[in-house]
Amino acid sequence: DLFIKRNRIKGLCPHCAALALFCLQTNAPAGGAGIRTGLRGGGPLTTLLVSQHPACLWRDLWLNICERDKFLGRAGDPGKKEPHFTFPWLAEIDGIQAVSGQTAPIQVHPFHIFWAMPRRIRLDMENLVPGDCDLCGRPSPGLIRRFFTRPRGLNYKGAWRHPLSPYYENKGEWLAMHPQPGGIGYRHWLPWVLGVNARSRNIQPARVLSYRTSPPDSRLWAFGFDMDNMKARCWYEATLPLYGLSDCDEDACRRLQAQVEYWLAGADLAVFFLRTAVKNAWFDEARGDFSMVDASFWSRTETDFYAQLKTLIEELAVNREAELDASMQAIRIDWHKKLVSACLDLFDNVFVGTGRIDRQNPRRIAQAYQQLKRSLDGRKIRQAVGRPLPETPVGKRGAKKSAEIATS
């Protein structure tokens, strides 16, 4: 209902009906008792490699093809060659899964992962009528107007790892990532391209990124539905640059990963300080949706992030060891300054300073602004971004003690 209003689609041509069915099976959200979610959960995130200047669909698809022998050896049972182990609608469901049972990778052929069937749906191919398809508008000799459905489709459990999705660890279980409110931005570059391996967060990029060496002009295309149970709240889609990352060796990628972790940790703290300052400036006890503050911050700092990312990848590719450490430190200092500038500018010129003076509390605004400046130059954000800490002034007692140590 969000994308195509109710009662506007009454007949689909076979082409559009097949695409709609595939879309539902791929993104199947939770729908109540016996209504299964997709193999990757409801509304999974998909990432694909694409060319910066695509020549044709086939060229982009070929970037995401794995060699057959490698693919067959990763999951599933290649010995299950009967057609229904790949295309499950070709036989009764109990040929794969027992009643009220579960479906694990070993029960099907490895190719099944692209043709999952959490929903049991049959199109009515007998009562067809000629006409124009309500979705694509093209004439068709037989429009499909009805379908039949039953609950309890294939119930996917176990070590499923779809090659086109990044995965995160949750209590020892690996789950496919899903788009979230707020869209796709540079804060997703590291986890979706190189991954994150931290104590509090462990994310692995989609396996498709390890299939082959990507061309220098390739980008990462990320897309998917933001689902709220049965409702599609939004469709998100973006491309993230790779800047010839394939020219970097494994050691260079590790160094890049460590540096970008600093940048993103600093950005996360900066946007938190900004959001807090805006809340304190507006209200004594502010509640509600402040996502517009975060969205403005990520948008404002995106160009600077990708500019320094491109510079660092180019330096890592040529492997100038003697210059790298100093360069990385300089980039972190410059990034911190850009975060400070963006936060103060958004506070002054977007969220607080431009409001009507008769509706503001100058004292509260001044206190929030000063606290924001202190936070943005404090020890916590300096540690997060990897910048040297400011020298702590020595008090009288400290000075006296230092003098005693020096004379002893």
Side-chain angles (χ1 to χ4, degrees):
D1 283 354
L2 175 63
F3 299 101
I4 301 171
K5 302 309 178 185
R6 183 169 296 190
N7 296 326
R8 291 183 59 187
I9 305 297
K10 297 181 180 179
L12 295 176
C13 66
H15 175 85
C16 288
L19 290 177
L21 186 57
F22 179 80
C23 181
L24 175 61
Q25 300 286 23
T26 300
N27 298 283
I35 308 300
R36 311 294 188 195
T37 59
L39 183 144
R40 294 175 280 170
L45 173 76
T46 297
T47 59
L48 293 170
L49 285 170
V50 294
S51 299
Q52 174 76 27
H53 305 290
C56 63
L57 178 63
W58 170 251
R59 183 175 180 180
D60 280 338
L61 291 179
W62 185 247
L63 295 175
N64 301 278
I65 299 298
C66 179
E67 289 85 352
R68 183 186 183 93
D69 292 341
K70 291 182 179 179
F71 185 87
L72 293 178
R74 279 183 169 158
D77 182 359
K80 294 186 179 295
K81 297 181 179 180
E82 291 85 350
H84 71 279
F85 288 119
T86 295
F87 307 111
W89 56 88
L90 296 180
E92 294 296 327
I93 195 170
D94 57 9
I96 295 176
Q97 172 185 291
V99 177
S100 301
Q102 298 178 349
T103 300
I106 197 63
Q107 296 170 237
V108 294
H109 191 275
F111 293 161
H112 179 102
I113 202 167
F114 296 113
W115 305 102
M117 194 185 74
R119 302 292 180 87
R120 300 172 70 184
I121 293 175
R122 296 286 184 185
L123 303 179
D124 182 1
M125 303 299 293
E126 296 181 358
N127 300 295
L128 305 180
V129 296
D132 295 338
C133 175
D134 288 331
L135 193 58
C136 68
R138 291 177 291 192
S140 173
L143 296 178
I144 299 168
R145 299 185 298 169
R146 297 196 307 168
F147 66 90
F148 308 96
T149 183
R150 287 184 178 180
R152 291 177 290 278
L154 293 177
N155 186 17
Y156 294 99
K157 301 292 182 182
W160 290 99
R161 291 295 295 270
H162 198 286
L164 304 184
S165 283
Y167 278 72
Y168 69 97
E169 189 177 19
N170 181 34
K171 299 179 181 178
E173 184 179 5
W174 286 95
L175 304 174
M177 300 201 73
H178 295 186
Q180 297 295 320
I184 298 171
Y186 74 80
R187 64 190 182 279
H188 300 115
W189 191 93
L190 180 63
W192 296 355
V193 175
L194 293 178
V196 174
N197 187 10
R199 184 173 300 176
S200 59
R201 191 171 65 148
N202 196 358
I203 300 174
Q204 293 182 353
R207 285 178 173 169
V208 68
L209 289 176
S210 64
Y211 281 174
R212 56 172 47 82
T213 301
S214 57
D217 66 341
S218 61
R219 298 171 67 89
L220 188 71
W221 181 26
F223 53 87
F225 287 102
D226 170 21
M227 303 294 296
D228 178 18
N229 290 326
M230 296 172 63
K231 296 182 296 183
R233 289 183 293 199
C234 191
W235 167 264
Y236 288 119
E237 178 180 356
T239 59
L240 309 179
L242 299 180
Y243 297 127
L245 187 62
S246 58
D247 294 334
C248 296
D249 58 24
E250 188 174 341
D251 181 63
C253 286
R254 282 197 297 267
R255 301 189 70 173
L256 175 64
Q257 184 179 32
Q259 290 305 306
V260 179
E261 284 179 353
Y262 279 127
W263 304 350
L264 295 181
D268 284 335
L269 264 182
V271 71
F272 169 75
F273 293 147
L274 174 62
R275 190 188 325 116
T276 302
V278 171
K279 288 181 180 180
N280 293 338
W282 280 354
F283 309 103
D284 290 326
E285 294 184 5
R287 296 181 180 179
D289 183 11
F290 283 79
S291 59
M292 68 287 190
V293 177
D294 294 50
S296 297
F297 170 84
W298 294 116
S299 176
R300 180 67 63 89
T301 54
E302 184 173 56
T303 300
D304 290 327
F305 174 87
Y306 282 126
Q308 67 186 26
L309 178 67
K310 183 175 185 293
T311 299
L312 184 54
I313 290 177
E314 290 173 350
E315 291 183 1
L316 287 167
V318 298
N319 199 24
R320 295 196 297 265
E321 291 288 344
E323 304 174 17
L324 277 177
D325 290 338
S327 177
M328 289 179 179
Q329 178 66 24
I331 291 176
R332 291 199 297 269
I333 293 174
D334 186 57
W335 175 240
H336 182 206
K337 292 178 180 179
K338 287 182 168 63
L339 295 178
V340 173
S341 176
C343 287
L344 296 179
D345 182 63
L346 288 170
F347 185 95
D348 271 340
N349 299 318
V350 177
F351 293 112
V352 179
T354 57
R356 288 177 52 176
I357 192 64
D358 59 325
R359 296 185 178 181
Q360 298 193 28
N361 185 323
R363 176 184 291 276
R364 190 165 59 223
I365 291 174
Q367 291 174 343
Y369 183 78
Q370 292 302 320
Q371 181 58 52
L372 176 61
K373 289 184 66 177
R374 287 192 294 270
S375 298
L376 290 173
D377 195 41
R379 295 176 64 87
K380 186 175 291 187
I381 194 169
R382 282 175 173 262
Q383 287 177 330
V385 83
R387 183 174 180 178
L389 299 177
E391 295 184 4
T392 303
V394 181
K396 292 182 179 180
R397 291 185 179 180
K400 183 178 179 180
K401 187 174 181 180
S402 298
E404 291 175 354
I405 293 174
T407 57
S408 61

